[in-house]
Amino acid sequence: MLDLGELWRYRELLGVLVRRDLKVRYKQTVIGVAWVILRPLASMAIFTLVFGMLVRVPSDGYPYALFVFSALLPWTYFSGAVLLSGNSLVSSSGLVGKVSFPRLIIPVAAVAGGLVDLCISVAVLLAILPVFGVGWTMNLLAVPILALGIIMAALGVGTLFSALTVAYRDFGHLAGFALQIWMYLTPVVYPESLIPERWRFLLLANPMAALVEGFRAAFLGKPFDFGAIAVSLALSAAVFAAGVAYFGKVERRFADII
Amino acid sequence: MPAIRVQNLSKEYVIGGRPRAHETFREMLADAFLSPYRRYRRLGGDASREERFFALKDVSFEIAPGEVVGIIGRNGAGKSTLLKVLSGITEPTAGRVELTGRTSSLLEVGTGFHQDLTGRENIFLNGALLGMSQAEIREKFDDIVAFSEVEKFLDTPVKHYSSGMYVRLAFAVAAHLEPEILIVDEVLAVGDAKFQQKCLGKMEDAARSGRTVLLVSHNMTAVRSLCSRAIWLDSGSIVMDGDAGAVSAAYLESNAKIALEQIWENPDTAPGNDRIRIHRVSIGPDGEGSTGGLSVATPLRLAFEFWNRAPSAQLNLSMVLYDIHNVCIFNSFSEPRPYPEGLVRGICHIPGNLLNDAKYRVRLLIVEDTSVPLVDLDSLAFFEIRETERPGKWYGKWVGVIRPRLEWETECLSPIGK
């Protein structure tokens, strides 16, 4: 099972791996870290064009660009973290086969690395909110708690995928479109209010739904659905525990089968 | 209390490294529905007898603190598996391992180096992977850099390093590990002579400072000079455990006894064709009563027997020797002459101190009238020349396609100051 003391002893390695990934990501690029700002802005523009202007998806009365951006922040972080950590073990097979350290650090580092991008994106959103005439509210104080829920969900799903991918490379292929489907099951490009009220409870099965809506409420100053958020936080914690437990159960075999 | 205690250790692998029967998720799902029990057993590592083999079989030993022990044995003997189990990278199938003290293992030089990062960044990354704290690395940073001799390129990405620089930097980080137990796999084979000397010096320091060191090496000279004790593994079991000199001598002796001979009994199916069929090939040491193996110093005798059904022709045997990189070492042939129909033998003598320690491939042609090859057997035989005991302090790979011992004359022509 999971050896927390061992994990603590290697905490510096986590920091080193995160820093490595960050450094490597923008080496040999011309505009470097600017990509962190450009990427979410570009997807905001694309989604605004397609869903806001062409399909005319309703956006609860807010500018669609803000509406989609505030939900894309947590979603982009989540899907990026799951994809990266899902592949992380296989892409560091050299380390797994030759060095002894708690394997959990590898997928966790992948999930942690995305947090820097998330923070920068949050800053960008905070900066453009007033441009659209939306003020900052006390709701923003909930962002760290909501982010915690998303981090837990990402860690749970990411570690699960990383462990499964070691044995069955299928999951490397599966993860990409599973996340795409998941995104459309989550109110990212459309508002929760688009779903008929009597079916809305189904969204509770998807912890990302209330958390993403929560992000939106935090930035746009809408009222929170506290009940749904509480359920989703608990569900995220359960996903986290399940993913890490499965990982702990199978990690002893990694070096033999990777 | 021993630093390392290994009790009845076994490690079983499913051949191919993973259960082949469900390599894809679809197969696993199908399997899951068709036969949950079989799947359950297989996921639990319970493959059938033929699919598995023991990399380690009931290995037990104890190593006292401060002992420096060499693990020797042929390729595939289980040495690396043993180190992997001891370092906690892989779990034993059965048995127990107890390590008392902070352990670091170095199974590969430069694991975790990232091509796009600079030398400086890689020192911190690699150090952390090997279990050093960042403070410890900062403290030893200057020593590491000085040891590696790459000061000038510290801020260059390592992908632009020469392989020598890369290895030096990687070893420099590892050399500054200060664990109580150090586990090292065959790392003396890297770098140039000067650097190897430095690495050996570091290892000697580690041994002298009371650290427990366990190292795998193919290099008996290094094992004898560094280790007090050696453990010889073969096919996953301990053959001999004791004084490094005695064990390495016994190991070299056993290698020597492997005779290379292949016989084809049936003249209809043996390699060749209707006119020539090979009967027997043997490669061994030359000379009467010679029991020594094929080392660099050994004169060799390569004997080829064939059935001749081309009685009227002038025949000669032509042997071409290649190394494993398919570099042709030489071609040598016998005097052309006619042979009667029947079994013919040709023997080629290769003097000692000519071939280097390497693996060789023998190609044999039997040529009619010095121009028409009747048979051309591309890979008739393989043999390996092993390192011989050699004087001096350098243990590295001897470069060169061949390794002749040539005569040298040296003299002092005019001393300074006269």
Side-chain angles (χ1 to χ4, degrees):
Chain A
M1 267 320 281
L2 209 56
D3 184 346
L4 287 175
E6 182 79 351
L7 212 55
W8 179 246
R9 200 161 76 80
Y10 277 90
R11 66 194 181 281
E12 279 193 349
L13 179 58
L14 178 65
V16 170
L17 288 181
V18 169
R19 253 174 292 155
R20 174 197 71 178
D21 291 344
L22 290 178
K23 276 182 194 160
V24 169
R25 200 169 333 154
Y26 299 109
K27 282 219 170 173
Q28 281 206 7
T29 58
V30 176
I31 62 169
V33 184
W35 277 115
V36 181
I37 297 170
L38 271 183
R39 255 189 339 218
L41 285 178
S43 41
M44 175 184 82
I46 293 164
F47 281 115
T48 305
L49 193 72
V50 176
F51 293 103
M53 293 172 150
L54 294 176
V55 188
R56 291 183 187 284
V57 174
S59 54
D60 290 345
Y62 294 92
Y64 189 84
L66 281 189
F67 170 86
V68 77
F69 194 15
S70 54
L72 270 177
L73 284 192
W75 181 264
T76 310
Y77 167 71
F78 176 78
S79 75
V82 168
L83 276 180
L84 272 181
S85 63
N87 271 317
S88 59
L89 281 174
V90 173
S91 54
S92 359
S93 55
L95 292 186
V96 175
K98 292 286 184 188
V99 191
S100 154
F101 60 92
R103 275 70 178 90
L104 193 58
I105 284 182
I106 294 180
V108 170
V111 172
L115 283 174
V116 177
D117 290 8
L118 180 64
C119 291
I120 294 174
S121 306
V122 165
V124 171
L125 178 55
L126 287 176
I128 61 173
L129 275 179
V131 177
F132 285 89
V134 177
W136 299 1
T137 65
M138 293 301 275
N139 278 8
L140 289 171
L141 295 176
V143 168
I145 298 164
L146 295 165
L148 185 71
I150 288 177
I151 293 167
M152 283 194 299
L155 281 172
V157 180
T159 50
L160 181 72
F161 267 43
S162 69
L164 285 169
T165 309
V166 171
Y168 314 105
R169 300 289 146 100
D170 309 62
F171 281 92
H173 306 280
L174 200 68
F177 71 92
L179 282 165
Q180 254 175 31
I181 296 171
W182 197 341
M183 179 175 134
Y184 288 105
L185 292 177
T186 306
V188 176
V189 297
Y190 59 87
E192 201 186 61
S193 56
L194 205 65
I195 299 169
E197 194 135 16
R198 62 198 166 109
W199 296 115
R200 222 171 281 170
F201 73 94
L202 284 175
L203 281 181
L204 283 178
N206 172 7
M208 287 304 289
L211 294 175
V212 164
E213 272 291 341
F215 254 79
R216 191 174 273 151
F219 283 101
L220 302 182
K222 293 199 300 176
F224 288 115
D225 182 348
F226 288 106
I229 288 173
V231 170
S232 297
L233 283 175
L235 209 54
S236 297
V239 168
F240 168 70
V244 171
Y246 178 75
F247 193 93
K249 213 183 100 188
V250 296
E251 71 170 335
R252 293 174 297 132
R253 298 193 304 146
F254 287 167
D256 294 340
I257 57 177
I258 201 161
Chain B
M1 194 172 184
I4 302 176
R5 173 187 283 157
V6 172
Q7 284 175 312
N8 307 102
L9 187 72
S10 292
K11 174 73 189 179
E12 201 176 18
Y13 279 111
V14 174
I15 291 170
R18 73 173 82 184
R20 216 170 294 156
H22 50 99
E23 221 159 33
T24 68
F25 185 55
R26 186 186 62 81
E27 284 167 26
M28 191 207 75
L29 279 184
D31 210 19
F33 287 114
L34 293 175
S35 175
Y37 177 66
R38 200 176 60 211
R39 172 175 154 274
Y40 168 77
R41 288 200 349 152
R42 204 177 300 126
L43 280 177
D46 197 9
S48 67
R49 286 285 136 224
E50 314 83 68
E51 292 173 314
R52 38 193 42 226
F53 82 106
F54 280 97
L56 291 172
K57 214 172 191 173
D58 202 23
V59 170
S60 301
F61 59 86
E62 282 184 10
I63 292 174
E67 254 190 308
V68 181
V69 179
I71 309 283
I72 59 178
R74 288 186 292 127
N75 288 330
K79 307 182 298 288
S80 295
T81 305
L82 176 63
L83 296 199
K84 276 192 181 182
V85 173
L86 288 178
S87 344
I89 290 166
T90 182
E91 289 268 308
T93 312
R96 290 167 58 83
V97 171
E98 282 170 54
L99 295 148
T100 313
R102 193 184 147 196
T103 307
S104 282
S105 58
L106 179 61
L107 301 194
E108 190 179 72
V109 168
T111 318
F113 263 45
H114 199 291
Q115 294 297 319
D116 287 329
L117 295 180
T118 65
R120 182 190 305 276
E121 290 162 340
N122 268 310
I123 290 177
F124 283 94
L125 173 61
N126 194 235
L129 281 168
L130 293 172
M132 280 195 241
S133 74
Q134 297 295 288
E136 200 180 342
I137 301 169
R138 265 192 295 277
E139 188 186 303
K140 292 178 185 159
F141 188 81
D142 293 338
D143 291 342
I144 293 176
V145 173
F147 191 89
S148 70
E149 304 165 18
V150 297
E151 291 94 336
K152 269 192 280 177
F153 305 97
L154 257 192
D155 294 305
T156 308
V158 296
K159 65 181 168 189
H160 300 307
Y161 279 28
S162 70
S163 58
M165 287 158 64
Y166 187 90
V167 160
R168 284 208 302 274
L169 184 66
F171 195 89
V173 181
H176 289 79
L177 281 171
E178 281 178 356
E180 287 152 308
I181 303 174
L182 180 63
I183 295 175
V184 189
D185 194 358
E186 195 70 85
V187 287
L188 292 170
V190 299
D192 56 25
K194 198 172 123 245
F195 190 70
Q196 280 190 347
Q197 211 41 57
K198 244 162 110 176
C199 297
L200 278 175
K202 262 285 178 197
M203 302 268 291
E204 272 164 13
D205 289 349
R208 252 199 304 275
S209 63
R211 237 163 272 158
T212 310
V213 182
L214 196 62
L215 72 105
V216 158
S217 185
H218 285 104
N219 188 327
M220 291 310 123
T221 319
V223 167
R224 253 176 285 190
S225 71
L226 280 175
C227 307
S228 53
R229 173 181 160 195
I231 295 174
W232 168 15
L233 283 179
D234 192 54
S235 312
S237 304
I238 295 182
V239 178
M240 196 174 166
D241 177 355
D243 172 70
V247 175
S248 58
Y251 168 68
L252 285 175
E253 173 90 1
S254 84
N255 275 331
K257 284 181 185 142
I258 300 169
L260 289 160
E261 184 180 39
Q262 195 166 2
I263 298 177
W264 290 271
E265 296 289 356
N266 187 343
D268 296 323
T269 57
N273 53 40
D274 290 344
R275 303 183 68 187
I276 304 284
R277 293 276 182 195
I278 299 292
H279 173 49
R280 178 172 168 270
V281 179
S282 81
I283 299 166
D286 207 357
E288 278 301 302
S290 171
T291 55
L294 308 184
S295 80
V296 172
T298 321
L300 303 180
R301 176 181 184 275
L302 283 71
F304 306 99
E305 292 175 23
F306 62 93
W307 285 289
N308 178 28
R309 285 173 191 160
S312 55
Q314 293 267 337
L315 294 184
N316 72 285
L317 289 88
S318 172
M319 182 186 80
V320 195
L321 203 63
Y322 297 89
D323 69 9
I324 51 167
H325 307 296
N326 278 327
V327 173
C328 177
I329 312 296
F330 61 73
N331 177 201
S332 172
F333 49 87
S334 66
E335 210 49 52
R337 49 172 276 210
Y339 298 94
E341 195 163 334
L343 201 57
V344 175
R345 180 171 74 184
I347 297 173
C348 175
H349 302 273
I350 302 177
N353 293 309
L354 173 66
L355 298 178
N356 206 344
D357 65 316
K359 289 184 174 130
Y360 294 95
R361 170 167 67 87
V362 178
R363 172 180 172 196
L364 182 74
L365 299 95
I366 293 171
V367 184
E368 180 178 23
D369 299 331
T370 65
S371 55
V372 185
L374 294 182
V375 289
D376 180 354
L377 300 160
D378 194 46
S379 307
L380 183 62
F382 298 87
F383 64 94
E384 184 174 0
I385 299 288
R386 289 177 191 279
E387 183 58 278
T388 182
E389 271 186 56
R390 61 193 202 209
K393 284 198 163 181
W394 179 57
Y395 312 125
K397 168 77 182 133
W398 198 299
V399 295
V401 172
I402 56 169
R403 184 159 144 188
R405 181 175 286 175
L406 305 175
E407 210 164 296
W408 280 78
E409 288 169 43
T410 53
E411 58 189 312
C412 181
L413 291 178
S414 76
I416 282 173
K418 282 226 166 154

